[in-house]
């Protein structure tokens, strides 16, 4: 039975399907820099992304035809630059909203926006914003989600929906449902419901309020994640002192 509850009105209404591309984020960036008129919510979807980009200059590997590799064009012009982490929260929550009914409550967001099930990474985001006059002008939301791939390099702590669920998913159906979830969270953001987004984000945060080990400047540190600041820094209680970490300053011990 079709679930229309999360049908999207604009996210995914225009889908550009590519059989092969270096990176869907690069492709969308090129379209925008050539002033192509694009409807907000346009999705670029690749069957084979051969030079996918991840965070921190990493590569994103995805077996041809098996996974979701997409970039979505959004224009969150209502968001001040200082609030751009809210967009990251909204999108990662939307992916969790989609995955939880399928895979259960173990679906979590590993700060800042990795998608984890138990100790394994199912997906990640590469969000690239342009800014004008202190506000966001456009946003390329790159999403990589491991769906039907079954073999991964052991060192990467990666997994897929198929490995957990034991069955393949249709990528087109998945995309449609995910677009509905993304639109819902994006409209929550547009409606200034950032407090709800923040509470929901903390509620789904991997190792939130748990004693855990981290690597900070080469040393192992034990602490408890207690919050995430408005600008996205991770706040960790280390021996009773709240320390703030930006991206790249702290790593989880998995
Ligand atoms: C990460 O966890 O490091 C982020 C991975 C983001 C990968 C996606 S796949 C679609 C889009 N195009 C890219 O080149 N990267 C993102």
């Amino acid at each position: 039975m079709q679930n229309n509850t999360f049908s999207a009105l604009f996210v995914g209404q225009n889908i550009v399907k590519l059989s092969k591309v270096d990176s869907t984020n690069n492709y969308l960036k090129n379209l925008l820099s050539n002033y192509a008129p694009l409807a907000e919510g346009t999705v670029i979807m690749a069957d084979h992304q051969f030079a996918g980009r991840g965070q921190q200059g990493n590569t994103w590997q995805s077996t041809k035809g098996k996974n979701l590799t997409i970039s979505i064009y959004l224009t969150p012009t209502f968001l001040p630059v200082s609030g751009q982490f809210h967009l990251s929260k909204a999108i990662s929550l939307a992916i969790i909203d989609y995955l939880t009914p399928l895979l259960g409550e173990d679906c979590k967001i590993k700060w800042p926006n990795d998608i984890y099930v138990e100790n394994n990474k199912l997906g990640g985001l590469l969000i690239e914003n342009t800014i004008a006059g202190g506000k966001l002008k456009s946003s390329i939301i790159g999403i990589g989600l491991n769906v039907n791939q079954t073999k991964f390099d052991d060192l990467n702590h990666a997994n897929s929906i198929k490995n957990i669920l034991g069955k393949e998913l249709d990528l087109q159906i998945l995309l449609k449902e995910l677009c509905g979830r993304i639109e819902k969270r994006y409209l929550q953001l547009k409606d200034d419901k950032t407090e709800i987004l923040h509470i929901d984000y903390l509620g789904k945060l991997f190792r939130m309020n748990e004693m855990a080990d981290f690597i900070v400047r080469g040393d192992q540190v034990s602490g408890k994640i207690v919050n995430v600041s408005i600008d996205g820094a991770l706040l960790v209680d280390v021996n009773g002192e709240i320390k703030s970490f930006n991206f790249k300053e702290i790593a989880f011990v998995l």
Side-chain angles (χ1 to χ4, degrees):
M1 193 176 74
Q2 178 125 11
N3 178 356
N4 286 319
T5 318
F6 296 102
S7 292
L9 293 172
F10 64 97
V11 177
Q13 291 307 297
N14 180 31
I15 301 178
V16 178
K17 289 185 190 147
L18 305 171
S19 52
K20 193 174 175 186
V21 72
D22 57 346
S23 148
T24 55
N25 271 34
N26 292 355
Y27 184 90
L28 185 48
K29 203 178 285 178
N30 286 338
L31 277 186
L32 294 172
S33 62
N34 289 325
Y35 302 102
L38 273 189
E40 184 175 33
T42 293
V43 174
I44 312 297
M45 180 182 202
D47 187 43
H48 181 201
Q49 182 178 249
F50 59 87
R53 293 188 291 115
Q55 288 169 15
Q56 296 181 270
N58 292 329
T59 56
W60 182 258
Q61 316 264 358
S62 182
T63 303
K64 180 182 171 188
K66 294 287 182 190
N67 301 318
L68 196 76
T69 47
I70 59 167
S71 298
I72 306 174
Y73 172 58
L74 293 177
T75 54
T77 52
F78 53 88
L79 257 189
V81 176
S82 58
Q84 59 188 317
F85 193 68
H86 291 310
L87 181 61
S88 172
K89 284 183 212 166
I91 304 297
S92 44
L93 273 172
I95 299 173
I96 296 295
D97 291 343
Y98 167 73
L99 288 175
T100 302
L102 205 62
L103 303 178
E105 293 296 328
D106 282 335
C107 303
K108 300 278 181 189
I109 302 163
K110 179 168 153 285
W111 176 84
N113 55 23
D114 283 343
I115 304 301
Y116 263 62
V117 177
E118 294 180 343
N119 256 6
N120 295 311
K121 181 162 170 168
L122 239 64
L125 298 180
L126 181 65
I127 300 181
E128 298 183 288
N129 297 324
T130 60
I131 287 158
K135 297 249 168 121
L136 265 61
K137 183 171 171 237
S138 71
S139 188
I140 295 174
I141 311 285
I143 302 176
L145 187 63
N146 298 329
V147 182
N148 294 323
Q149 185 175 333
T150 50
K151 293 199 177 73
F152 297 93
D153 187 336
D154 283 348
L155 297 172
N156 284 346
H157 281 277
N159 207 357
S160 68
I161 296 177
K162 182 175 177 187
N163 278 347
I164 299 169
L165 209 56
K167 65 170 189 182
E168 297 232 338
L169 292 189
D170 181 312
L171 294 179
Q172 302 299 329
I173 296 173
L174 185 159
L175 176 63
K176 191 163 180 266
E177 291 175 8
L178 185 62
C179 284
R181 300 287 187 166
I182 289 172
E183 183 167 301
K184 189 165 174 270
R185 287 292 185 177
Y186 183 62
L187 291 177
Q188 217 171 16
L189 176 63
K190 203 168 184 174
D191 207 16
D192 208 18
K193 300 280 194 306
T194 51
E195 191 58 32
I196 295 177
L197 288 169
H198 187 66
I199 291 166
D200 290 356
Y201 177 81
L202 292 185
K204 291 294 175 183
L205 204 58
F206 180 74
R207 298 196 177 155
M208 174 75 190
N209 274 328
E210 276 174 32
M211 279 309 290
D213 293 329
F214 302 91
I215 302 291
V216 177
R217 276 186 242 102
D219 294 328
Q220 185 153 327
V221 170
S222 293
K224 193 160 65 173
I225 299 171
V226 289
N227 208 339
V228 172
S229 71
I230 291 298
D231 58 357
L234 190 69
L235 304 180
V236 184
D237 180 334
V238 181
N239 297 325
E241 191 187 337
I242 308 300
K243 298 199 170 185
S244 170
F245 297 97
N246 288 316
F247 199 42
K248 297 183 189 175
E249 291 178 343
I250 186 165
F252 289 73
V253 176
L254 291 174

